[in-house]
Amino acid sequence: CRPLENNPKEGENYNLKLIPKEIHPALSKMFLEVDHETFWVKSIQIYDIYENAIELIFSEIKTNQNLSPDLFRFNIPQGTEQITPSKR
């Protein structure tokens, strides 16, 4: 990600620097690269307090693909104990 720019040059993506209100050991800052036309997130860089970084780059993004609901069905493995949270 390039540094944060308020007015990117024409055709360039937006770059956002996000800083949590309270620093957590696993997250001290995050950078998002956002497509200037679609506003889809193109990449994410996540930094911990030691400046270790994880970068996720999204490519070949497809929308409205009519995915089967079976792709999102979770089958509980045999022998697994199921715990139901109590209602408040």
Side-chain angles (χ1 to χ4, degrees):
C1 258
R2 292 184 319 277
L4 177 67
E5 296 177 13
N6 291 332
N7 297 309
K9 296 175 186 167
E10 184 163 335
E12 291 186 354
N13 294 332
Y14 297 103
N15 294 290
L16 306 172
K17 180 179 182 180
L18 307 173
I19 300 173
K21 289 182 180 181
E22 295 180 22
I23 292 178
H24 185 277
L27 176 64
S28 65
K29 62 187 171 192
M30 180 185 304
F31 294 93
L32 296 180
E33 179 185 6
V34 180
D35 186 278
H36 72 282
E37 291 180 355
T38 63
F39 296 104
W40 293 346
V41 175
K42 303 292 284 184
S43 69
I44 302 172
Q45 293 176 346
I46 303 167
Y47 290 84
D48 66 15
I49 60 171
Y50 303 107
E51 292 297 311
N52 296 310
I54 297 172
E55 183 173 24
L56 304 172
I57 300 172
F58 303 101
S59 63
E60 299 181 34
I61 300 170
K62 298 176 184 176
T63 61
N64 301 322
Q65 295 295 302
N66 296 321
L67 300 174
S68 168
D70 290 335
L71 288 173
F72 303 96
R73 191 176 318 271
F74 177 70
N75 296 317
I76 299 171
Q78 217 172 19
T80 301
E81 179 184 359
Q82 186 175 358
I83 300 172
T84 305
S86 59
K87 294 182 182 180
R88 292 183 183 189

